[in-house]
Amino acid sequence: MDRRTREYLSGRFGDYYRDADPTLPPAPDAREWGHIPWTGGESTTMVRHQSIYDLGDVDDFLAREAPRHVYFSAARYDDPGADTMDEKGWRGADLVFDLDADHLPSVDPAETTYAEMLAACKDALQRLLDLLETDFGFEDVTVVFSGGRGYHVHVRDDGLADLDSAARREIVDYVRAVDLDIEGLVRTRAVGGATRRELRTAGGWGRRTHRRLREFVAELQALDEDAAQERLMAFDGIGEGRATTLLGALDGETVADGNVEAGGPGARTLVEALARETVADETAPIDEPVTTDTHRLIRLPGSLHGGSGLVVARLDRDELDAFDPLVDAVPERFTRRSVRVDVTDPGVVELDGDSFTLDAGEQSVPECVGVFLMTRDRARKVKE
């Protein structure tokens, strides 16, 4: 990035921050703060090991320094401005999750547009929130659009701050269903002098599999017998005989009990197949190092992302469904005028509710588009 472009972006970020209202985390004075300035060269310089007292008033600091990126620590410390982690005096840390579109198994960054990547990431976010709120019962949950390729989730329920990295990794493994014992979702229980194999329906992945089993049986019951049998036989390991036995055994009461004994071997095959489908559809591909790192720095809500010019936006749960990051996270200040840039990486840009097909070379574009291109090194600022 050349000097003119850096100076332009720094100036416009400063203009944004003069009217911004960033959302500080709880106990901001116990957090480490960090930022990346608009320095030249290929490398980025992280300024960290600062306390909020080193910054002074956060609003004034942001307007004055206009940093490229702004962070605070998930951890709380006795002395957050100390130079080493040992000297800081760790008190505990928020439980933080990061979803990045580049890490989604369904997304190929080379073949997927930015808008499509963000849409896929929001789907993954909904799955993550369902797991955190339904399976773990977490209540103090904050959702933040990262301003880049995904979302951050901060959980601050009582009792979580003291979790070490190993305990946080167990939560990650559950959310991602790492090494999930599919067979272990079925237990053997004594019933009336006999034993019966049944799903663990009280919670966790057993309850989720049971829900899918009930939905599948409802689907079968809506079909005629031949179609239902064909549907069952689509699963590996279920032939005509097992399908016939299953159709006779999978009545509503049996499914409600989670009983997989009545249908014989075919029932267990079906349950294991549905469990694998459940895991594939309901896990969330979170970035493990972010959650397990008890000293992690995370983006400040209300700040600007220096790789997009979009706002790092804190979201209420009731506005999440309607949230469109390429519209709602565009700073209003950058929508009021056009700027002249030299486009070096042409292509389509979807932003602020419109789509722009840009050729290489000098041209005038809406400022939000120009800022987006310049922060991503796809354009340079030129004289007006």
Side-chain angles (χ1 to χ4, degrees), residues 81-144:
D83 291 334
T84 68
M85 291 301 172
D86 288 341
E87 293 174 318
K88 290 181 188 296
W90 190 83
R91 293 184 191 172
D94 305 335
L95 185 64
V96 177
F97 299 88
D98 177 40
L99 283 165
D100 191 321
D102 281 359
H103 299 160
L104 301 180
S106 61
V107 169
D108 179 355
E111 302 292 334
T112 311
T113 68
Y114 186 44
E116 291 169 341
M117 291 169 66
L118 290 176
C121 204
K122 192 161 85 165
D123 288 342
L125 171 65
Q126 298 282 19
R127 298 197 300 273
L128 172 62
L129 293 174
D130 182 47
L131 286 161
L132 298 180
E133 295 170 346
T134 301
D135 292 30
F136 289 96
F138 295 149
E139 296 179 350
D140 190 351
V141 178
T142 299
V143 179
V144 178

Side-chain angles (χ1 to χ4, degrees), residues 24 26 31 72-73 83-84 103 109 117 119 134 136 144 154 175 191 202 213 220 223 230 285 323 336 349 368:
L24 300 188
R31 313 272 182 171
F72 66 92
S73 66
D83 291 334
T84 68
H103 299 160
M117 291 169 66
T134 301
F136 289 96
V144 178
H154 305 249
V175 168
V191 179
L213 177 60
L220 288 182
L223 302 174
E230 183 176 346
F323 176 71
R336 301 170 185 168
V349 174
C368 61

Side-chain angles (χ1 to χ4, degrees), residues 115 184 268 354 369 380:
R268 292 189 284 278
D354 207 344
V369 175
R380 294 187 294 261

Side-chain angles (χ1 to χ4, degrees), residues 1-22:
M1 185 180 294
D2 63 23
R3 181 174 59 83
R4 178 183 285 116
T5 302
R6 289 198 314 275
E7 290 179 352
Y8 176 83
L9 290 172
S10 176
R12 293 303 283 154
F13 272 45
D15 292 339
Y16 165 82
Y17 282 123
R18 276 186 275 280
D19 293 328
D21 185 22

Side-chain angles (χ1 to χ4, degrees), residues 327-341:
V327 175
D328 301 319
V330 175
E332 183 183 358
R333 179 174 286 276
F334 298 165
T335 63
R336 301 170 185 168
R337 67 180 190 180
S338 296
V339 294
R340 192 158 185 82
V341 297

Side-chain angles (χ1 to χ4, degrees), residues 158-229:
D158 292 341
L160 295 180
D162 292 338
L163 295 179
D164 62 12
S165 293
R168 293 165 193 255
R169 185 171 291 106
E170 289 187 24
I171 295 175
V172 171
D173 288 349
Y174 180 88
V175 168
R176 298 179 61 181
V178 174
D179 297 327
L180 179 65
D181 180 11
I182 298 293
E183 294 184 0
L185 300 181
V186 176
R187 65 175 180 172
T188 300
R189 188 168 71 91
V191 179
T195 59
R196 185 172 78 185
R197 291 171 60 80
E198 57 185 35
L199 265 173
R200 301 179 184 273
T201 60
W205 288 106
R207 178 171 60 187
R208 290 176 173 273
T209 300
H210 184 229
R211 179 177 62 195
R212 182 168 293 243
L213 177 60
R214 291 175 63 89
E215 293 170 352
F216 179 76
V217 170
E219 175 191 333
L220 288 182
Q221 292 173 337
L223 302 174
D224 62 41
E225 185 174 345
D226 289 343
Q229 187 161 6

Side-chain angles (χ1 to χ4, degrees), residues 19-48:
D19 293 328
D21 185 22
T23 303
L24 300 188
D29 57 332
R31 313 272 182 171
E32 178 189 350
W33 290 79
H35 68 279
I36 296 177
W38 293 96
T39 53
E42 295 296 324
S43 61
T44 56
T45 302
M46 166 73 84
V47 180
R48 59 177 305 178

